[in-house]
Amino acid sequence: MNSTQIRKRFLDYFKAKGHEVLPGSSLIPADPTVLLTLAGMLQFKPIFLGTEIPKYKRATTVQKCVRMIDLENVGKTARHQTFFEMLGNFSFGDYFKKEAIAFVWEFLTKELKIPPAKLSVAVFEKDDEAYDLWREDQGLPAEKLFRLDEENNFWAAGPTGPCGPCSEIYYDLGPSVGCGRPSCQPGCDCDRFLEVWNLVFIQYDRSDNGELIPLKQRGIDTGMGLERIASVLQGVSSNFETDLFRPLIQEIKTLIKLPEPEESKLRIIADHIRAVTHLVADGVLPGNAGREYVLRRLIRRALRLGLVLGIKGPFLWRLAEKVILEMGDFYPNLKKKKEQILATIKAEETNFLQTLELGMQLFNQAILEHTGKKVLPGEVVFKLHDTYGFPFELAGEMAAEQGYSINEQEFKKEMEKQRERARLAGISSDKNKSKLVGLDLTRFGRTKFDGYEKTSEAAGVVAVLPKENLVILDQSPFYAESGGQVGDTGTIMLDQQHLKVIDTLLAPSGSIVHLLEQTGDLAPGAKVVAAIETERRKIIQGHHTATHLLHKALQEKVGAQVRQAGSYVGPDKLRFDFSCLAAVSQEQLAAVEARVNEKIKEKIKVEVLEKSYQEAVALGAMALFGEKYGDKVRVLKIGHYSLELCGGTHVKSTEEIGFFKIIHESALGSGTRRIEAVAGQPAIDYVMGLVNSWQAEILKTTSHYQALMTELGQAQKGGKLIVVEPAALLQAIKKYDLKSVNQYLDQLAATLANLKEGVAKAERELKNLKINQAASSAAGFVRELVEINGLKVLTKEFQDYSMQMLRSVSDTLQNQTGGCLVILVSLANSKVSFLITVGDNLIAKGLAAPKVAAVFTPFIKGRGGGKANKVEGGGQDSSRLAEAFQAVIDLVKANL
């Protein structure tokens, strides 16, 4: 039975048993406490925790999972993988142990026709109920039934909360596999007994003191690994020999030139590319933190192994094509995202290969430098990580291959220094959010939010935390920061006290928390009036609606694969991060900007629809990966142009946005870019500010140009000064005439650019003129040469001479004298620049330039560098220049 048949047989069986067949969830979990989806029950966790009411009593899924905990064992054992599929059936307060055990046994022995004699079961040592059900209902012999301890057969969601015993079903691969001990049984660390299915009976709530309290609503959570059961049914000894891996490993072999490639490396690459392909399909892009780092680490790990096996250039993207071909029918998202998946993987491979060679050189050099020590310093590995993008773990693997370890403590210290530098640089937008850390606000419950309809309302004070200046109301018009939109500011009024709200935050419990400058006389039970700062909110709403227009315009003008990857919506600007594999051209940016303004000009009605999540998706509303949506969602509908899920506040018509201007576009990292833009009054302020600053710069540059022309003795005035009238510019903005606005800006930019080019040309001409003048005047300096025992010496001081001018003077003197000692000094802004040159005749007498410099530089607190005939340098002190010159004269006399 192949893997496709197994999936279908499993789902069909449980559907016939009254289970709702539900889709598996994304690898990006809705649960923010979990990095990646690692079990089939994860999407049902709120149900098992009692925070969500289930729609179905029974469910079954095939869930793709990624776990990194077994990474080091992947490829080395028959059953460890980072990516795998979990077949699960679940009961939410419906059937329990009796039915769950019966279902599993019937499916394994009747549907899959696995001989009962090949199966063994392990139960929790204290779970007599399950033991009896296996023994009496299913007729399992006592020698096939084992009691194991809590570490092996007891599941818990955490130190407290829902938990319960497990029953695990094992397939016996026979005494020829594993440790060979006669006492070998399920639970042994060897490979003989293959765990194929785990049944978790969620029946207790563990209290803070460790007491197990029976749950009123018990649950069933089971999981059977597809790869493992496939190995059993296909009669192979390893997951990597099943139809899930065979075609992929064969494809890898076609790329390898080695006659007998190491099998474990083939397995690792095959495993990693399955994980990578599904991660990218679910919206993960390579990065340096969280799940993005997991993806990058897997790509780079597999890529390096490919290089070790002799594969040249990017190749993983070709393997991803094979994964899509093999798995795309069951996971249609793979086919839908094929172009984006392949491009993302190839781009990451290409980027890493560009730095891999340099990184390998540094790594090999470090190995040579520490031969015999067998420990690489942490700072060396940190440089590999920080400069060349080597994950620490990858460097560790490379070191281990050559018998080295890494000083991990030193590496961590370097990482901490980097974090501290980032912190000091102000990279922290969560300053206010940090005030909520450690506070238990669950007892206050959810705050009723009325800010979609109201800007002010009467409310009651629920809680006051004066130490933190935090206040919670029973209802509030204040929008709490979420979804990228910043929190509202405003006022809470108590009698004659007007207390300023400087931020609004959302606690995990759903409480809207108002951060005040001071809490005044506020106390629980007080009646107040809460009013937001309306003008600020209007600007924020314009920016937020503009992000939706921007998202759609990017998909139209840059590519349908563009997806939001983060945002900031504030009163000052909007920031929009998006997935994009290539740089966005200026032409594309201009087209995007024009498209957004076009939609603003059309005065499109903006509506918010209340729908169930399923209805919203059916309408075609775009949801963001990683966002958790409830049963009811808000759908933002901008005419027929844009339809997205969004809980923020928005304008009623695109006309209210006013005007949109992109101010910056940049790369955030491989595959992710950022646009910063402004709308409404901030956009007008930005354009007017730009015009004013450019006009001022034109005026300043024109004045500088005229001064240069005067010094050059020319009469040019530097071009015509362009002046943009504010009224004309504002009129163009009001008419949404982006073309005219950009023409004004382009005209100013061109004028300024031409003027700066003229300045640069004039400065070059003036510089050349001064050099020529210096060379011409050098002939007169010959008379100033001092002769000492037949050798000629010149020490001379200039004001504001460039080094090039000093060289011109020196070259002229050396040519005219046939060889002399020249020390030229230029003074500018209390700084000293010097040039020392000597002829070959002086070098022959032991007076090389470095020897002269060694005597000269201490007096000016300077230093220099060069060769035998020339030293250039600088100093900090010109007060002892005469002494420095005399010291050189004394040196010449003493030397001769």
Side-chain angles (χ1 to χ4, degrees):
M1 193 179 293
N2 65 37
S3 54
T4 300
Q5 293 168 327
I6 297 171
R7 290 193 200 99
K8 186 176 186 307
R9 184 73 64 90
F10 179 85
L11 294 175
D12 287 348
Y13 173 83
F14 281 100
K15 183 178 181 180
K17 298 295 184 182
H19 292 66
E20 185 73 20
V21 178
L22 298 177
S25 59
S26 165
L27 285 172
I28 304 177
D31 185 345
T33 66
V34 184
L35 191 66
L36 291 163
T37 298
L38 39 73
M41 66 80 63
L42 195 61
Q43 65 171 304
F44 306 117
K45 185 177 175 182
I47 296 174
F48 288 126
L49 290 173
T51 60
E52 189 176 299
I53 299 173
K55 294 180 180 178
Y56 312 101
K57 290 291 186 181
R58 303 180 179 194
T60 184
T61 64
V62 175
Q63 178 62 57
K64 55 194 175 186
C65 304
V66 169
R67 291 182 189 172
M68 297 295 285
I69 191 170
D70 295 323
L71 182 66
E72 298 306 318
N73 290 320
V74 172
K76 299 176 183 177
T77 72
R79 59 188 70 169
H80 286 104
Q81 297 142 222
T82 59
F83 175 87
F84 58 95
E85 295 174 81
M86 187 66 76
L87 314 178
N89 60 286
F90 308 89
S91 167
F92 312 116
D94 188 19
Y95 64 82
F96 201 50
K97 291 182 186 178
K98 183 179 179 68
E99 295 85 348
I101 289 172
F103 290 154
V104 168
W105 195 250
E106 182 179 53
F107 184 76
L108 289 174
T109 60
K110 300 293 195 302
E111 292 290 321
L112 302 186
K113 297 182 170 46
I114 296 175
K118 297 290 289 182
L119 299 174
S120 299
V121 175
V123 302
F124 177 49
E125 58 189 357
K126 298 179 182 178
D127 191 1
D128 294 333
E129 180 186 5
Y131 187 94
D132 292 342
L133 286 169
W134 284 110
R135 187 81 178 83
E136 296 169 12
D137 284 23
Q138 305 308 324
L140 201 67
E143 63 271 18
K144 293 285 186 178
L145 200 52
F146 301 87
R147 293 180 184 265
L148 297 181
D149 60 14
E150 184 170 340
E151 183 179 348
N152 286 282
N153 279 69
F154 197 90
W155 173 87
T160 61
C163 56
C166 307
S167 281
E168 296 172 329
I169 298 91
Y170 292 83
Y171 181 83
D172 187 358
L173 294 171
S176 62
V177 178
C179 63
R181 292 182 294 118
S183 60
C184 184
Q185 66 175 47
C188 181
D189 290 334
C190 78
D191 288 337
R192 173 175 174 175
F193 290 94
L194 177 67
E195 181 193 336
V196 293
W197 209 330
N198 186 14
L199 286 67
V200 179
F201 309 124
I202 304 173
Q203 65 185 97
Y204 300 115
D205 179 14
R206 179 175 273 153
S207 66
D208 292 335
N209 61 11
E211 182 184 0
L212 295 177
I213 304 167
L215 289 168
K216 292 180 181 178
Q217 180 172 294
R218 301 177 300 182
I220 292 292
D221 161 28
T222 86
M224 176 169 64
L226 175 62
E227 293 80 5
R228 292 189 179 190
I229 198 67
S231 71
V232 170
L233 297 176
Q234 293 171 23
V236 293
S237 59
S238 163
N239 295 355
F240 294 97
E241 296 172 46
T242 67
D243 68 317
L244 290 159
F245 284 95
R246 274 197 313 269
L248 200 50
I249 290 177
Q250 195 57 43
E251 186 78 11
I252 299 169
K253 286 181 177 179
T254 65
L255 302 173
I256 296 172
K257 309 304 180 186
L258 300 177
E260 294 184 11
E262 191 177 331
E263 186 68 23
S264 65
K265 288 183 172 60
L266 299 179
R267 291 177 171 187
I268 293 170
I269 295 171
D271 166 82
H272 286 11
I273 194 57
R274 281 174 19 116
V276 163
T277 304
H278 281 276
L279 283 167
V280 176
D282 278 3
V284 182
L285 292 170
N288 293 325
R291 60 182 70 97
E292 290 79 14
Y293 177 72
V294 169
L295 174 61
R296 172 162 284 171
R297 182 182 175 191
L298 290 173
I299 291 174
R300 295 186 170 186
R301 195 170 190 258
L303 181 61
R304 192 186 74 85
L305 289 177
L307 293 175
V308 170
L309 292 172
I311 306 175
K312 303 296 183 184
F315 72 94
L316 294 174
W317 67 277
R318 298 183 186 278
L319 298 181
E321 247 184 321
K322 189 71 174 177
V323 175
I324 294 168
L325 180 66
E326 295 290 330
M327 305 184 76
D329 288 339
F330 191 78
Y331 295 104
N333 197 42
L334 293 177
K335 290 183 176 179
K336 182 180 177 183
K337 300 286 184 64
K338 178 178 177 179
E339 183 180 334
Q340 182 181 349
I341 294 167
L342 301 185
T344 299
I345 296 171
K346 190 174 183 180
E348 179 65 16
E349 288 186 274
T350 303
N351 289 341
F352 187 49
L353 284 169
Q354 289 173 352
T355 60
L356 182 61
E357 186 176 351
L358 288 172
M360 289 297 293
Q361 289 175 6
L362 180 66
F363 179 82
N364 292 331
Q365 180 183 338
I367 291 289
L368 289 174
E369 290 174 357
H370 296 85
T371 302
K373 297 179 182 178
K374 295 301 181 181
V375 179
L376 291 180
E379 57 263 29
V380 172
V381 180
F382 175 77
K383 187 175 181 181
L384 272 172
H385 165 80
D386 196 46
T387 307
Y388 301 102
F390 275 59
F392 172 79
E393 298 81 5
L394 178 57
E397 292 173 16
M398 290 162 54
E401 287 172 3
Q402 300 196 45
Y404 284 73
S405 62
I406 292 171
N407 189 324
E408 190 170 349
Q409 288 302 113
E410 285 183 7
F411 177 83
K412 288 179 178 178
K413 284 181 181 178
E414 293 298 321
M415 286 294 291
E416 190 55 42
K417 288 178 186 176
Q418 186 189 58
R419 293 190 190 102
E420 182 65 12
R421 287 193 294 269
R423 188 189 67 78
L424 292 174
I427 305 175
S428 175
S429 61
D430 297 332
K431 182 179 178 181
N432 290 339
K433 287 183 185 177
S434 65
K435 294 180 181 293
L436 302 185
V437 175
L439 298 179
D440 181 13
L441 305 177
T442 55
R443 63 188 185 279
F444 303 122
R446 300 182 67 84
T447 305
K448 182 174 180 284
F449 174 60
D450 296 321
Y452 293 130
E453 301 84 20
K454 300 177 181 179
T455 58
S456 67
E457 68 176 332
V461 177
V462 173
V464 179
L465 288 77
K467 182 180 177 182
E468 294 85 7
N469 287 333
L470 302 177
V471 172
I472 299 174
L473 307 177
D474 57 359
Q475 57 189 22
S476 176
F478 282 77
Y479 183 86
E481 179 180 347
S482 61
Q485 180 174 329
V486 300
D488 279 330
T489 60
T491 308
I492 292 177
M493 290 166 277
L494 174 67
D495 299 328
Q496 299 303 311
Q497 294 183 47
H498 286 221
L499 304 169
K500 189 172 182 180
V501 178
I502 57 177
D503 200 359
T504 310
L505 310 167
L506 186 65
S509 60
S511 296
I512 294 177
V513 184
H514 308 78
L515 174 61
L516 280 64
E517 283 187 343
Q518 55 180 348
T519 55
D521 296 331
L522 289 177
K527 300 300 179 184
V528 299
V529 174
I532 68 169
E533 191 177 338
T534 55
E535 288 305 312
R536 180 178 181 272
R537 166 78 84 81
K538 284 178 183 177
I539 295 172
I540 293 170
Q541 290 181 164
H543 277 151
H544 203 156
T545 306
T547 63
H548 290 263
L549 294 177
L550 175 60
H551 194 182
K552 184 66 176 178
L554 282 166
Q555 291 175 333
E556 289 179 330
K557 304 299 181 181
V558 177
Q561 78 281 359
V562 166
R563 287 293 181 274
Q564 181 177 340
S567 69
Y568 161 84
V569 181
D572 53 336
K573 65 181 177 182
L574 68 89
R575 188 176 65 229
F576 190 80
D577 301 339
F578 57 100
S579 57
C580 187
L581 298 174
V584 181
S585 69
Q586 289 302 311
E587 291 76 15
Q588 287 175 317
L589 275 181
V592 167
E593 185 178 83
R595 184 64 164 161
V596 173
N597 278 290
E598 177 187 319
K599 292 302 170 184
I600 293 171
K601 189 175 181 178
E602 289 175 9
K603 304 178 182 179
I604 304 171
K605 183 181 180 181
V606 179
E607 302 174 83
V608 177
L609 312 175
E610 289 270 351
K611 298 287 182 182
S612 71
Y613 179 76
Q614 287 75 16
E615 288 173 333
V617 173
L619 282 172
M622 192 185 306
L624 298 181
F625 283 113
E627 291 287 333
K628 182 173 174 58
Y629 298 104
D631 287 341
K632 286 292 181 181
V633 294
R634 288 171 62 83
V635 181
L636 185 74
K637 183 175 184 289
I638 306 176
H640 298 294
Y641 187 63
S642 173
L643 193 71
E644 293 186 81
L645 303 187
C646 184
T649 62
H650 293 274
V651 297
K652 303 295 183 186
S653 166
T654 59
E655 181 185 20
E656 296 177 40
I657 299 172
F659 182 68
F660 176 82
K661 186 70 183 166
I662 294 174
I663 58 178
H664 188 62
E665 191 274 340
S666 61
L668 278 186
S670 179
T672 308
R673 303 194 70 83
R674 168 173 290 174
I675 282 178
E676 293 184 21
V678 280
Q681 190 60 47
I684 295 171
D685 293 342
Y686 170 77
V687 172
M688 296 304 294
L690 202 59
V691 168
N692 292 335
S693 65
W694 281 2
Q695 290 190 156
E697 193 173 351
I698 287 172
L699 189 61
K700 181 180 176 182
T701 309
T702 301
S703 176
H704 181 44
Y705 184 81
Q706 290 169 341
L708 287 171
M709 290 297 103
T710 300
E711 194 169 350
L712 283 168
Q714 300 180 24
Q716 296 181 39
K717 294 182 179 179
K720 184 181 178 182
L721 177 61
I722 302 297
V723 178
V724 176
E725 292 294 336
L729 188 63
L730 287 170
Q731 188 66 20
I733 291 173
K734 189 175 180 181
K735 290 182 177 179
Y736 308 98
D737 186 358
L738 185 68
K739 185 177 180 181
S740 293
V741 173
N742 285 335
Q743 280 178 345
Y744 284 135
L745 295 176
D746 291 344
Q747 186 181 25
L748 280 169
T751 300
L752 187 56
N754 290 335
L755 192 52
K756 286 184 173 180
E757 185 179 340
V759 167
K761 182 181 178 183
E763 285 177 337
R764 287 195 299 271
E765 289 177 2
L766 189 58
K767 180 180 178 182
N768 291 332
L769 178 62
K770 288 181 177 180
I771 291 171
N772 292 334
Q773 289 173 343
S776 299
S777 61
F781 300 149
V782 173
R783 294 190 296 271
E784 299 180 35
L785 286 164
V786 177
E787 190 167 312
I788 304 174
N789 292 339
L791 296 181
K792 294 175 181 178
V793 180
L794 175 67
T795 59
K796 190 165 182 64
E797 175 185 336
F798 298 92
Q799 290 295 323
D800 203 18
Y801 261 43
S802 67
M803 185 59 73
Q804 200 163 354
M805 292 168 69
L806 296 181
R807 292 190 199 112
S808 180
V809 171
S810 174
D811 291 346
T812 301
L813 289 170
Q814 292 291 356
N815 290 332
Q816 289 188 0
T817 62
C820 58
L821 168 59
V822 176
I823 303 178
L824 304 178
V825 174
S826 175
L827 303 179
N829 300 323
S830 74
K831 299 290 184 182
V832 180
S833 299
F834 71 85
L835 171 67
I836 300 172
T837 63
V838 298
D840 291 340
N841 55 333
L842 275 82
I843 296 174
K845 295 179 181 294
L847 278 172
K851 184 175 182 180
V852 177
V855 172
F856 179 78
T857 53
F859 291 94
I860 63 169
K861 296 180 181 177
R863 60 182 180 178
K867 299 179 180 179
N869 64 340
K870 181 171 69 174
V871 169
E872 296 177 359
Q876 303 295 319
D877 186 6
S878 62
S879 64
R880 300 180 65 192
L881 197 54
E883 293 178 66
F885 285 150
Q886 187 58 49
V888 171
I889 298 296
D890 293 342
L891 171 68
V892 174
K893 291 177 179 177
N895 200 71
L896 296 177

